[in-house]
């Protein structure tokens, strides 16, 4: 069933795929982010309770949701790397880690900036905020562990196990607002129910969510390309690629 | 899938499942400490058979009972009652309340228990719900008339 994926285990094919996808991801990200942000920040109506302050939702919610999705994607790459022993899977894992860490950081910072005017506090040690902070530490742990090994295949295995184990935190983040009583409010859109947000506010949010996703994909693809080149720098195909580029510049 | 891959897959999946199980047992045992606040009925009737002691520092979370807010005209002192589904607990506070503080709003207050149903709060935080809608819709659905602070006097 998954046979069509097998050629991409080869770094060369993965590199070519990245090259094809990259312009699509960048342009879709730009279109979605510009539309969603302008619509959300300028044209969506004010909230009945929070007025204009609620507009930070257009940054906070996409970054928070995608910090978790990126973690899951990273863990899937780790499993593929560990079980099928694909070098490219570990490269994809480590390409995603810093992007997800930055998303988590954005979610925490925008959340603090939203919490101060609305709740009255920058930070509260409630279950949602604490588990999201732990997610940031997990990302940092994966990056640090990967960096600690000289042999990158070993590094991938160690960091992969850590990424896999940390997945347990993702459902905790999602359900924290239901399992415990928290200051953070419950889920607005990520639930099996009608979203509790007016449609004219929801659309820009969904567009921005897609925009953030494409942005993450684009940055991941760029990072994956450079990771593949760095790891395969002595392989003939990379040298051929470099030569080709050299020749083009010479002409 | 060849047998070595199958073995590795079961190994890593069982590691993940075991750790998931361990963490969920831990979190289940820690439920009381992870909860951010007591509800008013938990303060009066006790939570799992244990009542909070007088003098204990704690957080309380509940709805502000409409009509219970009374402000001192000279100072910033304010008292109000919080409720969930059972009895009311009254809160004393001196300081500036968050913008979202109003009757019927969810509030989380940190303070010490003065007697079984009074709390002296040092910090009052506003909790808001997960619903977002324009003011006109809120007026229609919830009967909330939203007045901007700078227009409130007119």
């Amino acid at each position: 069933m998954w046979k069509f994926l097998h050629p991409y285990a080869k770094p060369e094919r993965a590199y070519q795929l990245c090259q094809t996808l990259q312009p699509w991801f960048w342009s879709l990200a730009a279109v979605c982010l510009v539309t969603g942000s302008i619509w959300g920040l300028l044209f969506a109506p004010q909230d009945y309770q929070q007025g204009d302050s609620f507009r930070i939702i257009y940054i906070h919610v996409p970054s928070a949701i995608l910090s978790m999705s990126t973690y899951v994607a990273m863990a899937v790459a780790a499993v593929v790397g560990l079980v099928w022993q694909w070098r490219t899977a570990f490269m994809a894992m480590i390409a995603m880690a810093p992007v997800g860490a930055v998303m988590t950081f954005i979610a925490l910072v925008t959340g603090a900036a939203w919490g101060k005017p609305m709740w009255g506090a920058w930070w509260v040690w409630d279950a949602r905020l604490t588990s999201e902070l732990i997610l940031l530490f997990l990302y940092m742990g994966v990056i640090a562990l990967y960096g600690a090994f000289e042999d990158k295949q070993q590094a991938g295995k160690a960091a992969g196990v850590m990424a896999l184990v940390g997945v347990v935190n993702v459902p905790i983040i999602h359900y924290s607002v239901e399992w415990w009583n928290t200051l953070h409010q419950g889920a607005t859109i990520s639930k099996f129910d009608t979203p509790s947000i007016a449609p004219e506010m929801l659309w820009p949010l969904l567009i921005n969510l897609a925009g953030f996703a494409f942005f993450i994909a684009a940055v991941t693809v760029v990072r994956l390309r450079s990771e593949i080149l760095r790891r395969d720098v002595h392989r003939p195909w990379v040298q051929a690629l470099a030569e080709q580029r050299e020749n083009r510049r010479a002409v | 899938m060849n047998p070595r891959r199958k073995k590795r897959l079961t190994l890593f999946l069982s590691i993940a499942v075991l750790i998931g199980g361990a963490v969920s047992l831990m979190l289940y045992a820690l439920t009381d400490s992870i909860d951010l606040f007591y509800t008013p009925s938990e303060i009066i009737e006790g939570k799992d058979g244990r009542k909070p002691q007088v003098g204990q520092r704690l957080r309380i979370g509940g709805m502000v009972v409409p009509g219970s807010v009374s402000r001192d005209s000279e100072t910033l002192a304010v008292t109000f009652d919080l409720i969930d589904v059972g009895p009311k607990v009254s809160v004393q506070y001196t300081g500036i309340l968050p913008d979202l503080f109003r009757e019927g709003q969810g509030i989380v207050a940190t303070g010490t228990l003065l007697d079984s149903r009074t709390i002296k709060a040092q910090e009052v935080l506003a909790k808001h719900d997960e619903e977002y809608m324009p003011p006109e819709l809120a007026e229609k659905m919830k009967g909330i008339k939203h007045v901007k602070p700078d227009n409130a006097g007119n």
Side-chain angles (χ1 to χ4, degrees), chain A residues 171-194:
Chain A
I172 295 177
I173 298 175
H174 184 88
Y175 290 106
S176 55
V177 289
E178 289 175 29
W179 290 343
W180 302 290
N181 53 41
T182 54
L183 185 60
H184 197 285
Q185 69 283 3
T188 298
I189 53 172
S190 49
K191 57 181 180 186
F192 299 109
D193 205 350
T194 2

Side-chain angles (χ1 to χ4, degrees), chain A residues 22-123:
Chain A
Q22 196 181 327
W24 290 100
F25 285 155
W26 278 122
S27 37
L28 283 169
V31 169
C32 290
L33 282 177
V34 168
T35 330
S37 301
I38 291 178
W39 187 356
L41 298 182
L42 298 178
F43 299 108
Q46 285 191 344
D47 180 56
Y48 76 106
Q49 259 191 334
Q50 305 185 31
D52 280 327
S53 310
F54 103 99
R55 291 182 201 280
I56 202 167
I57 199 176
Y58 294 112
I59 311 292
H60 177 72
V61 168
S63 59
I65 290 181
L66 290 167
S67 70
M68 293 190 272
S69 321
T70 309
Y71 196 90
V72 173
M74 191 175 85
V76 169
V79 171
V80 172
L82 288 168
V83 175
W84 282 267
Q85 300 193 325
W86 287 12
R87 293 164 60 232
T88 37
F90 288 136
M91 295 180 203
M93 176 190 83
I94 205 60
M96 276 183 264
V99 193
V102 168
M103 284 298 139
T104 317
F105 186 73
I106 293 174
L108 289 170
V109 169
T110 53
W114 195 1
K116 185 60 187 171
M118 287 304 129
W119 298 342
W122 295 103
W123 184 265

Side-chain angles (χ1 to χ4, degrees), chain A residues 46-50 82-84 114 119 168 172 180-183 185-188 196-198 200-201, chain B residues 5 8 12 19-20 27 34-37 102 105 125-128 130-135 138 142 144 146:
Chain A
Q46 285 191 344
D47 180 56
Y48 76 106
Q49 259 191 334
Q50 305 185 31
L82 288 168
V83 175
W84 282 267
W114 195 1
W119 298 342
V168 73
I172 295 177
W180 302 290
N181 53 41
T182 54
L183 185 60
Q185 69 283 3
T188 298
S196 26
I197 176 168
E200 62 265 47
M201 295 162 152
Chain B
R5 281 179 189 161
R8 282 199 296 265
F12 288 118
I19 290 182
L27 290 176
I34 297 175
D35 276 336
L36 187 71
F37 49 78
R102 58 181 81 123
Q105 184 76 32
L125 302 177
K127 191 170 153 58
H128 61 80
E130 69 281 14
E131 292 183 15
Y132 304 93
M133 55 182 98
K142 299 189 157 185
I144 298 169
H146 185 75

